[in-house]
Amino acid sequence: MTTQSQIARPSSFPLTEKQMAVLEPGTRLIEAGPGAGKTRAIVARFKEQAHRSSRGIALLSFTNAAVNEAKLRCADSPHLVEAPHFLGTFDHFFHRYIVTPYIVSNHGVMPTYLASWDDLPDHLARIRTQSGGIGIRLSRFRRRANKQLYIESSYLSHAEKQYWERLTPQAQAWIQGEASRVHIRLLDRHIYDTSSARQIAFDVLQQGSTSKYMLRLSRRFTEVIVDEFQDCDESEHRLLELLTASGVSIVVVADPDQAIYEFRQVSNNAYARYREKIPQEEIVELDVCHRSTQAICGMVTSLRSVGRSPVVPSAETTNYPTKTFVIVGSGNKLKEAAQQLNTQYGVKNDSFRVLSHATSDARKISIGGIEPPNGSSITESFLTSLVTLRNSGNPKMRLAAVRRLERSILDLFQWPDATSHGNRVLELESLGLGPTQLRILVGRLQESSKAWKSPDDCGKGLRNFIKIELGNQRHSLIPTLSNKLSKPTSKLWTYWEESTTSNPNSGVPALWANIHAVKGAEFDSVLLALPQRTVAGRSHVLDDWSANINSEQRRVLYVGASRAKRLLMLGTPKTRLRQLIQILERDQVSYEVIHAK
Ligand SMILES: Nc1ncnc2c1ncn2[C@@H]1O[C@H](COP(=O)(O)OP(=O)(O)OP(=O)(O)O)[C@@H](O)[C@H]1O
């Protein structure tokens, strides 16, 4: 899957003969390596089947980015995104055809769906005792069969763990009880996160093929196509099984080597079990990569652990350059060496990404290792979010930054009714502002921040912006606005400057992202930074690669490497160079070592 913003894509080249097999009505599983054109081929199937069938065809994916890309590719057939067809996320499908009709018919209200409980206002999203503290996010709790929520410390972030461990056993019991009470109140008001909505869909579908919802689905759809099927967790597999039982034909598309969601109980076993049941003649395997050069395909083949066959470049890909680069070093030096190679090979900075397993590692490399001061001032919250919005190559992180900025703006009003504070919908309603207006305001703030040249400029600029843009709303701004939006501390200002401008210490910032965030995307050039250290109790990704272990961290590296079209660079600490070279020599990957200075 490739996102529109990331490449200029030719749209008129035909499918290859192998890709054409995806269109065969009897095909049920398309298994392919990276860049094999899965997305192209399944969009073609969606169009073809919709043309053939008198009923609907659905194309489901797991992320909005993937869905938007498929919609763009259907721009020449607008009827495909309308009834009777469906093109949307996996969850949206079950909301629309099962959960919403069920709730409306049984309770007479429209349900509200949240991707996660983290999207609730803070006072609901975090469960804390009266003495305050950071609390525990509601999304961290698990549910027992008796509907009570419980916590295990392995689910917690470091800060939450510290908070949790300082609590007395009574306070811990209270927190778990309170989480259960909040959870029940939310469900009673028909507010659902992803997993609670799925549970309802599951319960409804389990009523059997005579249930009116099931009948409606089977009458409505001939075929449901599921993209990125290797990412299906157990609950998604169960939902698809129930759908199959209702008589809807399911066609899935997968690259088992790209299964990188073990943390949400996705295991390769579920995929292997599914594949086993499909007769070989209903499986189409695509092994040619239309994205990357031969050198990159060599590296990707070496990283591959489920698929056994080599990833072969298509004849059309230009062999340029003929090797991958191993850059030895850390931090900003790595990025500078990578940028020099980009210049040498004519790659522009905006088609280049720094990728790593952890976002923080990629960010450190991209903006010179400087971290935000970690304070709690409102000015800091504005500045760090603006930095993310400007520099992050991860659309999810940028969206989260926009949301934080919107929240910070709304927090600057005096809210007469304390109960509505934190509820974005009610706040916007009572201000008479639309969500789009608020978003446009964030865009304008980002533009105006480009004029800040000093800490004084920044403090003044921020205050003036808020007063001019929001001073005449239905509610007044807080009287302490000037104190709250104070000028940034020198540490915060240094962070801002280093992150947003090219400067002698850190050079031109590069766009960064964690590898999970760029699944499906492609870039001319990628610097893939190997972890500098090993997490206690775990192996280093190079240990897995060298011992041929099919681990999640190795598959994540495979996804990262396969995003590169022309230039792939592996950033490694000096301590790991020997091991890396041994692997590359063993697998006959052509490479050149460069020492970052
Ligand atoms: N038949 C083809 N001829 C030329 N280019 C192609 C062909 N099929 C796909 N491509 C190009 O190859 C690249 C990868 O295609 P696509 O994004 O559909 O692959 P994918 O299998 O979904 O990749 P991944 O799973 O790695 O994200 C895109 O740039 C696409 O335009």
Side-chain angles (χ1 to χ4, degrees), residues 39 69 129 137 152 200 246 252 254 276 359 508 515 538:
T39 314
E69 174 60 17
T129 60
R137 284 198 261 156
E152 273 180 21
I200 295 180
S246 78
V252 302
E276 245 171 50
T359 311
V508 182
I515 297 166
R538 287 182 53 188

Side-chain angles (χ1 to χ4, degrees), residues 319-349:
N319 275 352
Y320 161 81
T322 53
K323 57 198 161 197
T324 53
F325 293 92
V326 170
I327 310 181
V328 188
S330 61
N332 195 40
K333 296 260 184 292
L334 270 182
K335 178 207 67 178
E336 283 181 350
Q339 283 173 324
Q340 275 169 19
L341 284 168
N342 285 339
T343 311
Q344 194 178 322
Y345 287 103
V347 176
K348 295 208 178 99
N349 204 38

Side-chain angles (χ1 to χ4, degrees), residues 150-260:
Y150 68 100
I151 203 79
E152 273 180 21
S153 55
S154 59
Y155 306 150
L156 301 176
S157 69
H158 180 66
E160 284 173 329
K161 209 180 234 172
Q162 285 184 329
Y163 171 86
W164 179 250
E165 283 166 3
R166 275 201 298 266
L167 295 175
T168 61
Q170 290 84 344
Q172 288 184 347
W174 183 86
I175 289 253
Q176 303 198 80
E178 180 62 6
S180 303
R181 288 186 285 278
V182 170
H183 191 246
I184 289 169
R185 279 204 297 277
L186 289 164
L187 300 190
D188 283 348
R189 288 167 62 195
H190 302 291
I191 300 173
Y192 303 105
D193 72 339
T194 302
S195 87
S196 52
R198 281 184 188 177
Q199 186 58 47
I200 295 180
F202 185 67
D203 293 344
V204 173
L205 285 174
Q206 251 191 336
Q207 290 165 7
S209 57
T210 51
S211 105
K212 63 176 175 179
Y213 305 99
M214 198 90 145
L215 280 174
R216 215 181 280 163
L217 260 184
S218 59
R219 282 194 200 123
R220 170 82 187 258
F221 292 102
T222 314
E223 178 171 301
V224 171
I225 307 169
V226 185
D227 191 12
E228 307 271 13
F229 180 68
Q230 74 282 347
D231 290 331
C232 269
D233 65 15
E234 294 287 351
S235 76
E236 289 151 352
H237 271 276
R238 283 191 346 243
L239 284 171
L240 288 177
E241 268 165 33
L242 289 167
L243 213 53
T244 313
S246 78
V248 178
S249 157
I250 307 285
V251 176
V252 302
V253 188
D255 177 357
D257 275 294
Q258 293 196 51
I260 55 172

Side-chain angles (χ1 to χ4, degrees), residues 24 59 64 100 110 117 168 204 309 335 338 358 448 470 489 516 571:
E24 290 298 321
L59 173 55
N64 286 323
T100 302
M110 280 298 281
W117 296 131
T168 61
V204 173
S309 53
K335 178 207 67 178
S448 86
L470 296 162
T489 59
H516 280 89

Side-chain angles (χ1 to χ4, degrees), residues 324-519:
T324 53
F325 293 92
V326 170
I327 310 181
V328 188
S330 61
N332 195 40
K333 296 260 184 292
L334 270 182
K335 178 207 67 178
E336 283 181 350
Q339 283 173 324
Q340 275 169 19
L341 284 168
N342 285 339
T343 311
Q344 194 178 322
Y345 287 103
V347 176
K348 295 208 178 99
N349 204 38
D350 60 359
S351 355
F352 165 57
R353 290 293 182 282
V354 177
L355 304 179
S356 66
H357 287 74
T359 311
S360 55
D361 288 346
R363 189 181 56 215
K364 268 186 214 155
I365 292 167
S366 305
I367 60 173
I370 175 139
E371 290 286 311
N374 242 336
S376 56
S377 76
I378 297 189
T379 308
E380 180 167 333
S381 161
F382 269 103
L383 265 52
T384 50
S385 303
L386 285 167
V387 166
T388 305
L389 190 54
R390 203 186 278 199
N391 289 354
S392 173
N394 175 347
K396 254 194 185 163
M397 284 183 69
R398 284 203 303 272
L399 180 62
V402 169
R403 292 230 161 170
R404 279 198 305 279
L405 285 164
E406 292 177 346
R407 183 70 261 149
S408 303
I409 290 174
L410 290 172
D411 284 343
L412 295 173
F413 285 97
Q414 286 189 74
W415 295 104
D417 173 7
T419 52
S420 67
H421 185 196
N423 185 325
R424 175 193 160 84
V425 177
L426 293 180
E427 284 173 346
L428 284 175
E429 220 166 71
S430 97
L431 278 173
L433 266 185
T436 319
Q437 284 167 288
L438 186 60
R439 198 139 289 187
I440 290 172
L441 212 61
V442 167
R444 284 223 286 273
L445 175 62
Q446 200 200 357
E447 266 317 296
S448 86
S449 73
K450 290 182 184 160
W452 301 341
K453 299 281 178 258
S454 68
D456 279 326
D457 254 12
C458 167
K460 229 184 270 165
L462 199 49
R463 288 192 294 275
N464 285 345
F465 179 88
I466 297 292
K467 282 183 196 154
I468 292 167
E469 297 283 349
L470 296 162
N472 291 321
Q473 298 295 329
R474 285 189 200 154
H475 297 296
S476 315
L477 292 165
I478 49 172
T480 50
L481 186 77
S482 302
N483 292 341
K484 295 268 183 200
L485 294 180
S486 52
K487 78 173 186 187
T489 59
S490 61
K491 206 169 167 197
L492 177 58
W493 182 249
T494 311
Y495 166 73
W496 170 262
E497 274 201 311
E498 298 253 328
S499 317
T500 55
T501 49
S502 153
N503 78 50
N505 296 328
S506 60
V508 182
L511 290 169
W512 78 80
N514 69 47
I515 297 166
H516 280 89
V518 293
K519 192 135 179 274

